[in-house]
């Protein structure tokens, strides 16, 4: 037989989390029913997401048979059994989320500061049963999509997942996410979310659940201008975060606190963007005006006194045109919270929202959830949950290794794939297994854990 080389890093991630938390066994125990090797097939689906992320029907052609032994699969596999496993995971998805949350709660992994955010992924093809057209974060408005929401702690460990049709709004979606997350949240937890889900009803619901909230006030110019006047008339706190200066005025508004912030750097960035936009619109308008004059188009509109003819002409002026996009609230943003705290601390907490955004990036780019190629409901739900769990396994392993969970997953996967287990079949000799390509990052994550997969008595066997 020829020697086979297996990417070993993803197996190490799965086994390390299984050793410390028993994650896979506790989540999928009793789910497979009479299905043979259900946990092993689930590990294979997870392994695929953590390695090359090929489509399900290519898994058996991509990875060697020797991998099955390492994942605990004893029986012969076929493509249909993998699809059935994915379908079973989708059908049991609400139960699996609860079991996952039970593991987090048992090991005290649920952070009292939770970030809730929403994203979407689109489909290849138009036959997805739960797909719908809606606002696409991926800028693929020509494709059906699904929306999904996650709740993740500041410690980088995700605690909840919801999957909905692609046309649901964030302000509605957050209610479902709160219902899923409430199983593990301790009373008094702080829920951090963006302006898209900020409504009076949602904030009231969070308070009724016994939690606190921190969110961004939607930027409506007339409302913001009132608070800008308050900001101008009061004494301000000033501080620096990440080399960026901020001024803040705190104001009590009924049962909540408003934190009115101003950043000069933010102000300059917004002014530059609006100036560029204005210049583009002027250039575009001039072209349109010249085109109208060339064709001498006349538009007619009815009025009480008869027809009004509009003749296109280009007005010339000696003064600079005022930029209509500049509205006087540039550089300002307002945070709303039920917590009375120091403005610096409040802003620091809100800036942690990037942990949710990095989780989405790991989910969609690192583990390649985008695009989805399934079209049946249960397979779609199963694929999203498997990808979610694979990303959670990465974050849990990095946390155990005391490495930042914000590590770029695409770069991490290169090291995981390069870490290799080579199975050698010498002529008239016993089979040998050799671990190779142990990089400094792999050594920091696994330590001596990876050597368990290789043979330790090579000298005696020759």
């Amino acid at each position: 037989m020829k020697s086979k080389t297996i990417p070993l890093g993803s197996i190490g991630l799965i086994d390390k989390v299984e050793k410390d938390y028993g994650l896979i066994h506790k989540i999928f125990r009793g789910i497979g029913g009479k299905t043979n090797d259900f946990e092993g097939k689930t590990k294979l689906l997870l392994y695929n997401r953590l390695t090359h992320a090929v489509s399900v029907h290519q898994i058996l052609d991509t990875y060697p048979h020797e991998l099955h032994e390492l994942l605990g699969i004893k029986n012969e596999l076929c493509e249909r059994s993998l699809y059935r496993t994915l379908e079973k995971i989708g059908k049991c998805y609400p139960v699996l989320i609860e079991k996952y949350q039970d593991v987090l709660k048992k090991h005290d992994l649920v952070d009292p500061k939770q970030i809730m955010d929403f994203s979407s992924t689109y489909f290849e093809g138009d036959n997805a049963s739960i797909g719908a057209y809606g606002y696409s974060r991926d800028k693929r408005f020509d494709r059906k999509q699904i929306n999904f929401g996650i709740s993740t702690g500041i410690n980088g460990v995700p605690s909840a997942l919801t999957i909905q049709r692609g046309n649901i709004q964030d302000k509605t979606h957050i209610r479902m996410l709160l219902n899923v997350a409430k199983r593990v949240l301790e009373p008094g937890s702080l829920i951090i979310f963006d302006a898209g889900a900020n409504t009076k009803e949602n904030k009231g619901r969070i308070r009724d659940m016994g939690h606190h909230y921190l969110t961004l006030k939607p930027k409506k110019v007339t409302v913001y201008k009132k608070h800008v006047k308050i900001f101008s008339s009061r004494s301000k706190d000033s501080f620096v975060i990440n080399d960026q200066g901020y001024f803040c005025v705190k104001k009590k508004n009924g049962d909540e606190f408003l934190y009115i912030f101003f950043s000069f750097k933010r102000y300059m960035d917004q002014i530059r963007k609006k100036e560029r936009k204005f210049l583009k619109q002027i250039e575009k308008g001039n072209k349109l005006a010249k085109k109208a004059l060339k064709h001498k188009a006349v538009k007619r509109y009815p009025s009480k006194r008869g027809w009004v003819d509009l003749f296109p002409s280009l007005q010339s002026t000696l003064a600079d045109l005022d930029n209509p996009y500049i509205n006087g609230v540039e550089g300002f943003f307002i945070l709303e919270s039920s917590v009375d705290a120091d403005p610096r601390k409040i802003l620091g907490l809100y800036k942690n929202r990037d942990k949710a955004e990095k989780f989405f990036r790991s989910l969609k780019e690192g583990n390649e959830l985008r695009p989805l190629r399934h079209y049946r409901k249960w397979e779609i739900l199963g694929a999203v949950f498997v990808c979610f769990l694979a990303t959670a396994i990465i974050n849990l392993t990095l946390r155990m290794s005391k490495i930042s969970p914000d590590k770029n997953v695409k770069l991490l996967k290169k090291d995981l794939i390069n870490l290799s287990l080579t199975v050698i079949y010498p002529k008239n000799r016993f089979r040998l297994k050799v671990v190779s390509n142990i990089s400094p990052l792999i050594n920091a994550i696994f330590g001596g854990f990876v050597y368990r997969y290789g043979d330790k008595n090579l000298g005696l066997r020759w």
Side-chain angles (χ1 to χ4, degrees), residues 13 106 191 245 315 387:
L13 289 177
K106 179 180 178 181
I191 311 297
Q315 179 183 357
C387 201

Side-chain angles (χ1 to χ4, degrees), residues 384-414:
V384 176
F385 179 76
V386 166
C387 201
F388 168 83
L389 188 59
T391 310
I393 286 173
I394 291 176
N395 285 12
L396 284 169
T397 307
L398 294 178
R399 186 176 183 275
M400 285 187 288
S401 307
K402 297 182 180 179
I403 298 175
S404 171
D406 299 335
K407 185 75 177 175
N408 188 305
V409 171
K410 292 184 76 172
L411 297 177
L412 173 63
K413 284 178 71 172
K414 290 182 179 179

Side-chain angles (χ1 to χ4, degrees), residues 78-301:
C78 64
E79 181 182 315
R80 181 182 297 179
S81 66
L82 291 178
Y83 276 108
R84 286 176 175 172
T85 301
L86 195 64
E87 183 180 3
K88 188 71 173 180
I89 291 172
K91 288 181 178 179
C92 299
Y93 146 72
V95 177
L96 298 177
I97 283 290
E98 290 186 3
K99 289 190 171 189
Y100 169 77
Q101 290 177 326
D102 290 339
V103 175
L104 297 188
K105 198 165 186 179
K106 179 180 178 181
H107 293 277
D108 196 26
L109 292 170
V110 183
D111 198 293
K113 300 178 182 66
Q114 290 286 317
I115 305 148
M116 293 190 176
D117 206 353
F118 308 93
S119 191
S120 61
T121 187
Y122 63 92
F123 295 93
E124 288 294 346
D126 299 320
N127 295 325
S129 58
I130 61 172
Y133 292 104
Y135 174 73
S136 173
R137 279 85 168 179
D138 303 316
K139 309 302 180 186
R140 291 304 305 266
F141 299 101
D142 59 327
R143 292 280 189 262
K144 287 186 177 181
Q145 64 175 25
I146 56 168
N147 286 337
F148 51 89
I150 61 125
S151 179
T152 181
I154 289 181
N155 61 357
V157 180
S159 59
L161 169 71
T162 53
I163 308 167
Q164 298 295 324
R165 292 180 66 86
N167 56 0
I168 191 171
Q169 293 181 321
D170 291 354
K171 61 184 179 183
T172 304
H173 198 164
I174 195 173
R175 301 171 197 167
M176 304 161 191
L177 187 55
L178 285 168
N179 286 334
V180 176
K182 69 181 181 183
R183 291 190 70 255
V184 290
L185 294 182
E186 296 294 332
S189 295
L190 178 64
I191 311 297
I192 305 169
F193 56 96
D194 203 1
N198 183 0
T199 65
K200 186 176 180 180
E201 293 76 14
N202 289 336
K203 291 186 290 186
R205 182 176 281 103
I206 292 172
R207 295 299 291 135
D208 292 340
M209 293 170 63
H211 304 308
H212 294 284
Y213 63 84
L214 171 59
T215 183
L216 178 68
K217 190 176 186 66
K219 201 162 190 178
K220 297 179 180 178
V221 176
T222 53
V223 177
Y224 261 62
K225 282 187 174 180
K226 295 177 182 177
H227 294 295
V228 169
K229 290 181 180 179
I230 295 172
F231 179 90
S232 302
S233 62
R234 296 191 182 183
S235 59
K236 305 162 187 63
D237 294 322
S238 61
F239 50 88
V240 177
I241 297 180
N242 297 332
D243 298 326
Q244 187 171 342
Y246 295 92
F247 297 91
C248 180
V249 169
K250 181 167 66 174
K251 174 179 176 289
K252 195 172 189 305
N253 184 27
D255 295 332
E256 71 178 2
F257 294 87
L258 300 181
Y259 298 84
I260 310 168
F261 290 95
F262 175 80
S263 164
F264 185 73
K265 182 178 182 300
R266 186 185 181 96
Y267 169 82
M268 293 303 297
D269 289 342
Q270 292 177 355
I271 290 293
R272 277 194 294 267
K273 288 179 182 178
K274 292 184 177 183
E275 289 290 353
R276 285 198 299 267
K277 183 177 180 181
F278 184 47
L279 291 174
K280 286 181 180 179
Q281 290 300 318
I282 290 175
E283 183 181 354
K284 182 179 178 182
N286 286 343
K287 289 180 179 179
L288 291 174
K290 290 175 182 177
K291 184 177 180 181
L293 281 172
K294 181 178 179 182
H295 293 283
K296 298 181 180 179
V298 178
K299 293 187 177 181
R300 308 191 75 189
Y301 293 93

Side-chain angles (χ1 to χ4, degrees), residues 113 115 152 154 192 347-357:
K113 300 178 182 66
I115 305 148
T152 181
I154 289 181
I192 305 169
L347 183 57
L349 287 170
Y350 188 75
K351 280 181 172 289
N352 277 295
R353 278 191 63 258
D354 69 338
K355 294 187 180 295
E357 294 167 2

Side-chain angles (χ1 to χ4, degrees), residues 19-52:
K19 177 177 177 293
D20 289 1
Y21 301 116
L23 187 68
I24 308 301
H25 180 66
K26 289 177 182 176
I27 291 177
F28 295 99
R29 179 176 53 192
I31 297 297
K34 296 181 181 180
T35 306
N36 294 326
D37 299 330
F38 185 80
E39 289 184 22
K41 294 171 188 174
T42 301
K43 287 182 180 180
L44 180 56
L45 293 172
L46 287 168
Y47 172 87
N48 175 51
R49 281 294 171 187
L50 293 167
T51 311
H52 298 302

